[in-house]
Amino acid sequence: MQLPIQFFLQNFHFALDLFFALVTFAIFWLYFDAWTVAKKFRDLSKSLGFLLVALSFVVQATIVEEAFFGQGLLGNYAEMLAVFLRLIGYLGIIYSLLTDPLPQKPVNTGLKLDKKSPALFPGILINLKFLLPLGALSIALLYYRRATRGLENHLKQIALGFFFLALSESFFLATLLRISQNIDLSNATAAFGPVWWLEQICLLISALILGRWIWSYLTERLQSQLFMIFTSSVLVIFLIVSVTFSYLLVNNIENAALGNLETATKLLSYSLDSKKAEIASKAEVFSQNPEIVAAVIAKDHAKLNTLLQDSLTQRKTSSIMIINNGGMVLARAEDPEKWGDSVSSDPLVKQALSEKEESNYSVKEGVLAPTISLQAAKPILKDGKVVGAALVSLELSNNFLDGVKSSTGLESALYSGNQRSSTTIVSQGGKERVIGVKESNKAINETVLRKGKMFTGTLTILNKPYLVVFSPIKNINNQIIGMSLAAQSQNAILKVAGNSIEAIFILSTILLLLSIVPAFFIARYISRQLH
């Protein structure tokens, strides 16, 4: 069983956010080291700003996509915290860049800034998310200004890194459009969709640019270099452990779900066998009724109709037929006016007239789709001689499958050939059961209907992903006439897995943060020993 691609993309998102957090943490470390020398508030503001940005991406790394994995353990609080931390961090960096005097070129008189605050329209609540791309872009422009107007040309790289970060933050805003009524727009901005990929790609480019910039500075100091190497190593180890453990966990969850489906398939098969026995018992009651035996011998159609009419409703059957030893129908309980036709070619009738008791699956034409029925035939005997047969049928309708669902909690369906004849799966409105639809999956048709084997895998039904188990349904001649389905919503499985993955992510990030302290002291100890 293959895990859904969303699982791997969620882990990619986790790793990328932590990588970006590591890069911004390294920049914090650089500016913090500079602050310990000058002790200026603007330098502290800048270093703390990068620290908050790093922490915001650490928090963001733990967030799972609710569209696939359901609501996270922390609900919306984690996202709110990530946005708040990042916004405060951006403001701290912007404040530092605005208040830090610009090293002037000899031919340049500098740039005068307009310190007037922009007017805010009263009564308008500004979503904090909209401020994120503005904050990142402002930092990019301020760094670019220092690199081009001042003497700090090396800051062009960090300006470029924040420009791509601003693009990533802009694509992040697309999450607000996921509830759009426009299907194309909703699909484009959906989790793991095209816009999501653009957001991740821009974030990766930003991380690589900033990482390359900061590494050139960290290599100048042994302690900082050792500290970042230890921290990076711990991060890689935690990523490997987290991804591996979450993979094994989700794989076990899916295997358990498939095990439940196979159990449900066996229960469905057991329910069908029970119905077979029930129908056979009802057929035997009719075949041994003395009045029916006498009416068959006398070919008394009116008498048989009278005897069968009450039985059809009371015994909860779809059809009751009484047949003479020549295969001619003497009475039909469901259609008293239709009689006299021959059913001698029916294999079940042949068996009964040969004094054999058999049950069978049959296909009957319906209004929306062919239906599958259970049939049982019993010979009618008089003095040890076969004088006729009783044939009882029960249509396997939605009500029968509802009983199976109440026992297993899983969805199920029956197919006549590859056409759905009954099901527990309802449309998105929750009112209509979609039957009559043909199963177009070639692998299912080939495995189940042609080879007569069980199919286990995934299938999209009514635009929802399911884990499914299909089994063949065979008639008395061992011919495959249809198939049964047991299914469980994959979204339900992903929600369970999502909470587990998020718990792993949260625990990993907490342990990662705690590991920073010993990494620092180890790096400092080694650095002092070498000096």
Side-chain angles (χ1 to χ4, degrees), residues 7-22:
F7 164 79
F8 298 101
L9 294 180
Q10 185 65 60
N11 278 278
F12 167 75
H13 171 268
F14 173 66
L16 178 57
D17 281 350
L18 284 187
F19 175 60
F20 193 88
L22 177 64

Side-chain angles (χ1 to χ4, degrees), residues 484-496:
S484 63
L485 162 69
Q488 182 175 7
S489 172
Q490 199 172 30
N491 287 339
I493 299 172
L494 288 176
K495 287 178 181 179
V496 175

Side-chain angles (χ1 to χ4, degrees), residues 37-51:
V37 177
K39 299 286 186 178
K40 293 182 179 180
F41 178 75
R42 61 172 177 266
D43 294 332
L44 180 62
S45 173
K46 187 184 299 181
S47 64
L48 291 179
F50 276 102
L51 178 61

Side-chain angles (χ1 to χ4, degrees), residues 44 58 64 115 128 261 268 354 389 452:
L44 180 62
V58 168
V64 297
K115 296 185 179 180
L128 294 180
L261 284 178
L268 179 58
S354 299

Side-chain angles (χ1 to χ4, degrees), residues 289-315:
N289 187 315
E291 293 183 281
I292 290 179
V293 174
V296 169
I297 296 174
K299 298 181 180 181
D300 190 342
H301 166 69
K303 178 66 174 179
L304 288 172
N305 273 341
T306 302
L307 293 172
L308 295 182
Q309 282 303 303
D310 293 337
S311 299
L312 185 67
T313 304
Q314 292 175 359
R315 297 185 182 274

